[in-house]
Amino acid sequence: GQQLNQSPQSMFIQEGEDVSMNCTSSSIFNTWLWYKQDPGEGPVLLIALYKAGELTSNGRLTAQFGITRKDSFLNISASIPSDVGIYFCAGQLEYGQNFVFGPGTRLSVLP
Amino acid sequence: GAVVSQHPSWVICKSGTSVKIECRSLDFQATTMFWYRQFPKQSLMLMATSNEGSKATYEQGVEKDKFLINHASLTLSTLTVTSAHPEDSSFYICSAPRTVSTEAFFGQGTRLTVV
């Protein structure tokens, strides 16, 4: 099946630092989503991207739909302790199909 | 607030029993819902696609007789784990898109522990 790769797998940063992570695929997607999952909870949608090149912000989070439609990036500015969690990207090949999830990036924020 | 509600949040059951998990869309109708399974420290893996008014579509390797899916209405899909065994212990999550071309919202998840 389709696979998404996320990088890095995990990261430890100091509070206040900026964070960048990405998601890549060998396939072209028409939709990219970014989710955050806290332990024991379901994923919560952060940002949805629908067009190549689209740059969308949600507070301190900014995500971009790669121009090739095979990748997406998520940036978090001025990280805070509650940013800790697993960040998943998800891509949709065609409308109406399920979303394929990446393996996740585990973020730890050190005080 | 939550737009997709999943119940129960957690359940412990004995081996051999069946467990039903409900997924409801709260303020929209969902003709399609997705059921995922997540093992510790792993990503979400699609189990099946629940279709209102027709049979569910199962992913390769998922036993349809073990994981029964019923999309009873446009706002409710249920997943029943039949004759549960300890290896079925996992985190089960449902999701539903508002429309075929928009993002999917997730339920809170159900942690199943089979003892």
Side-chain angles (χ1 to χ4, degrees):
Chain A
Q2 300 300 328
Q3 286 189 327
L4 295 180
N5 300 306
Q6 278 188 255
S7 178
Q9 289 186 338
S10 63
M11 53 196 314
F12 294 82
I13 61 169
Q14 291 291 138
E15 183 177 354
E17 288 184 349
D18 296 343
V19 175
S20 291
M21 60 187 79
N22 66 49
C23 185
T24 60
S25 171
S26 58
S27 300
I28 292 175
F29 287 90
N30 69 358
T31 304
W32 287 97
L33 308 177
W34 284 93
Y35 290 89
K36 177 177 183 265
Q37 185 177 27
D38 292 326
E41 303 286 334
V44 174
L45 180 68
L46 299 174
I47 293 177
L49 303 162
Y50 299 103
K51 292 195 297 187
E54 180 180 356
L55 186 70
T56 298
S57 294
N58 178 7
R60 293 177 296 105
L61 278 62
T62 302
Q64 184 163 24
F65 193 140
I67 198 71
T68 65
R69 296 173 62 193
K70 294 184 178 181
D71 56 11
S72 179
F73 305 87
L74 175 69
N75 296 315
I76 305 173
S77 62
S79 59
I80 60 178
S82 60
D83 290 334
V84 168
I86 304 177
Y87 291 80
F88 290 104
C89 64
Q92 188 184 44
L93 285 168
E94 296 180 17
Y95 294 135
Q97 289 188 347
N98 65 285
F99 284 84
V100 177
F101 280 81
T105 291
R106 187 178 297 271
L107 177 64
S108 299
V109 180
L110 306 174
Chain B
V3 296
V4 174
S5 178
Q6 195 171 333
H7 178 80
S9 299
W10 59 270
V11 57
I12 301 173
C13 70
K14 292 185 177 180
S15 286
T17 61
S18 295
V19 174
K20 180 185 284 188
I21 303 170
E22 294 186 347
C23 181
R24 295 180 183 273
S25 56
L26 299 182
D27 62 354
F28 65 99
Q29 294 181 330
T31 56
T32 299
M33 291 186 179
F34 301 108
W35 287 96
Y36 296 85
R37 181 173 182 176
Q38 186 179 33
F39 290 106
K41 298 186 179 181
Q42 293 189 22
S43 188
L44 290 78
M45 296 298 295
L46 180 68
M47 298 176 63
T49 302
S50 175
N51 305 298
E52 191 273 335
S54 63
K55 291 183 180 180
T57 305
Y58 290 82
E59 295 300 299
Q60 192 172 10
V62 177
E63 300 177 58
K64 60 182 180 182
D65 294 330
K66 181 168 186 61
F67 298 99
L68 300 179
I69 291 174
N70 182 21
H71 203 131
S73 73
L74 287 171
T75 60
L76 174 64
S77 174
T78 60
L79 168 68
T80 301
V81 183
T82 62
S83 187
H85 289 97
E87 57 265 31
D88 298 325
S89 299
S90 188
F91 194 56
Y92 293 86
I93 309 173
C94 69
S95 76
R98 283 187 184 272
T99 71
V100 295
S101 59
T102 58
E103 65 271 17
F105 293 93
F106 283 83
Q108 303 94 319
T110 297
R111 181 164 301 285
L112 170 64
T113 302
V114 184
V115 297

